[in-house]
Amino acid sequence: MKLSKHLQNLPFQRIYYMTFIMFFCGFIGKSSGENQGGNAPGKDTAYVHELLKLSRESHHQSRIREQLGLADQAFALSDSLGYTKGKGYALIQKGIAYRELGDKVKAVHHLTEADKIFTLINDQEGKARAYLVMANAYDRAGEYDHAVEFALKALAGSESIHDSSGMASSFSTLGVLHFRRGDLELAGKYYNNAILILTKTKRKIALANIYNNLGALWRDRQDDKKALSYFQHAASINFEEKNYTELWTNYTNMGVSHERLKEFHRARELHQKSIAICRSSDFRQGLATSYLNLASTYFSSGDLAMSTVYLDSSLKIAKELKNHMVLQSIYFALSEVAHASGKDDKAYHYFKLFSIEKDSVFNQEKNDKIDRLQTAFESEKKDRQIELLHKDQALKNSALEQQRTISYATAFGLLAVLGFSSALIVAYRSKHKTNRQLLTANNLIEEKSKILEEKNKDITDSITYAKTIQEAILPKRGLFSKFDDHFVLFQPRDIVSGDFYFITHLENEIILAAADCTGHGVPGAFMSLIGNELLQRSIEKKISDPASILLELNSGIRSALQQQGEPVARDGMDLAIGVFDLSTMQLRTAAAHRPVYIVRNNVLTEIKPDKISIGHQPTEEVRFSTTYYHLQKGDWIYFTSDGYADQFGGSEQKKLLSKNLRNLLITHSREEGEMQKVGLLQAFSNWKGHEEQIDDVMIIGVRV
């Protein structure tokens, strides 16, 4: 019996190979010392900021005792200066240090005191960051219900002040926590939310954490080679940035993957590297986990004696730290070793201890609490958005009246100015009276402008809620599971999108479509809803020929928008649709103004579209053609809207163009799907620079 095999069968076993993968101090560090201001400005507070900066640097280099000492100095100096904010951020650094040292009680104490300070001075950013470190501290202790509670508080706080860094940190932490619970879909959603933010900020250490977490996701899906590519990418970034606090996690994750691939010598090398880092920084929690993983490699290779030695070392530390999550894995491992040694009485003893520890970490009550917390967070958020939607109708009714009032006020102001000029000619004494009239008019204009600004904000908030509705209609990622790999790059220009994608399974075939509707924002979003519904109807009619589906769409769009009889309609969509038969490796495509790209061995083939848009001509005058293409294993097939290629940017402020998009697809086709998505987002962001995004952006990639 294999130790690693049995641990894989446990719903809580992920601690075995990535117990502490979410060290988010790269996210947290930025706020604790830079440009904080406060109630005691001057060179003395600048010295506080410098101490906090040095404390963060010591943390990244795994000098935790040094980090704690510098945080103590920053707190003492802030206290003597009456610098309240400095005390709060010093307490966060102390909380982080005690978290690394495995002292949850002290960590939570200091973070709770920090929360009180930030509440007193109404510093929402500080509160959110204290909550996030609190979540990580509870995570280390295996108290996941508390960890989720504080991570959601951190997310809500960061969203309330539009702090993208804090939001990315919270998304990442929540992704890890739900991964531990086995909810991979929700974990992936949170990771993707974090990546969207981090690719814009170009924060390497933060991205390394996400790569590490994505590696854990792929390992959970039994793809260790793909997992290793993510772990290695994370390790190279952390090594380059000298971020040793995170590097040990990468090494231990890589070690577990090599063990699962039966590459035991390489696995032991990596676990020894992880142990060396944890010893140098006195990181006892990480040391317990690394000893446990090293014991597993010896067990898997048949060396029960060495496995027992390292399990005993791990057990001693875990007991001191009272870490129930690590303890349950150790007891299970000891049970397996005892059984393999023929000592079934000991095996039964250790298994009972394992069961006790398991129940203390994941029981139904705690899982229910986590579900309630998640549901309450989403419900509260939706309630606020629904309230805005109720206001929306009243806003629409009053918007025209508000505009009319402002126009009247403006006209009145102009008349007052004319009256003032005439009065100057007729008599100087009317000057003061006319001035008073003009002032009244200007005040009215300003007041109405403020009202309109507030109404516009409410409308924007309503549209933001509409985004959640549109996202709910888009296909679930599980529908892509029959492809070997895939990614979805979906980035609206104006909150809601005129682009949409569609995927469904019809008998033995997969139907995938990517559509670019007329316009963007709210008009485009309405068109996308119509297009999605019409595609659903086509599938219900069992239509599987791509050209016939496009004809059905054309007829449906013209009927829905009451455009019959018009030779050319203004509203419609461009769309490419593919029908995949993976048993015969055949792809049938039809396209209206949107090409389909296929990359095989770094060579791109473009399937040209028909030069007709959906909805622009009567159906009896439209002819779409179906193209047949034989696929090979490893081919990447891409569907796109025109937003990526049409983006202005670069040194000459020109369009990116389709040829450059094609080159990017060829370059990134060598990578895994999620890495392609990250690379394409980075290239888009670099090209766009400071220019505004001009259209919705969508690229769908699937590998057969």
Side-chain angles (χ1 to χ4, degrees), residues 84-205:
T84 310
K85 183 176 284 191
K87 289 170 63 178
Y89 282 108
L91 285 167
I92 286 182
Q93 284 300 309
K94 291 173 74 171
I96 292 172
Y98 280 116
R99 181 195 69 189
E100 299 301 311
L101 295 171
D103 194 333
K104 184 207 74 177
V105 175
K106 285 186 178 179
V108 170
H109 168 72
H110 288 301
L111 294 166
T112 302
E113 292 301 309
D115 178 31
K116 291 177 181 177
I117 286 176
F118 292 127
T119 300
L120 182 66
I121 62 176
N122 194 28
D123 186 333
Q124 295 300 317
E125 182 178 6
K127 282 174 68 68
R129 296 187 184 281
Y131 288 149
L132 190 62
V133 183
M134 192 96 76
N136 291 336
Y138 279 117
D139 176 31
R140 299 285 181 84
E143 298 179 28
Y144 295 118
D145 50 345
H146 293 309
V148 170
E149 177 183 357
F150 282 102
L152 289 172
K153 284 184 177 181
L155 177 58
S158 297
E159 287 181 336
S160 70
I161 57 174
H162 306 292
D163 176 13
S164 60
S165 174
M167 289 164 62
S169 306
S170 302
F171 284 140
S172 300
T173 300
L174 285 163
V176 170
L177 293 170
H178 286 291
F179 174 84
R180 297 202 199 291
R181 297 181 64 217
D183 192 339
L184 303 188
E185 183 174 352
L186 190 53
K189 173 186 172 183
Y190 279 126
Y191 289 153
N192 285 330
N193 287 344
I195 287 173
L196 286 175
I197 294 174
L198 295 173
T199 49
K200 296 177 182 177
T201 59
K202 301 178 183 178
R203 298 177 64 190
K204 290 185 177 180
I205 290 177

Side-chain angles (χ1 to χ4, degrees), residues 195 199 207 211 214 489 668 673-683:
I195 287 173
T199 49
L207 275 173
Y211 292 145
L214 286 170
L489 194 166
H668 290 291
E674 286 300 321
M675 295 296 292
Q676 290 193 46
K677 177 179 175 180
V678 171
L680 289 166
L681 277 171
Q682 288 178 332

Side-chain angles (χ1 to χ4, degrees), residues 161 234 352 391 534 680 701:
I161 57 174
K352 284 200 301 183
K391 294 178 181 178
L534 291 172
L680 289 166

Side-chain angles (χ1 to χ4, degrees), residues 402-418 438 440-442 444-446 448-449:
Q402 294 293 341
Q403 290 281 11
R404 189 180 295 117
T405 301
I406 291 172
S407 299
Y408 289 159
T410 304
F412 179 72
L414 291 173
L415 288 173
V417 171
L418 290 173
L438 181 59
T440 300
N442 285 337
L444 179 60
I445 294 170
E446 184 177 350
K448 295 300 182 181
S449 295

Side-chain angles (χ1 to χ4, degrees), residues 626-647:
T626 295
T627 300
Y628 293 80
Y629 192 91
H630 184 71
L631 299 170
Q632 292 183 10
K633 202 69 173 172
D635 286 351
W636 272 99
I637 303 93
Y638 301 96
F639 298 77
T640 73
S641 64
D642 60 8
Y644 197 103
D646 285 350
Q647 178 61 45

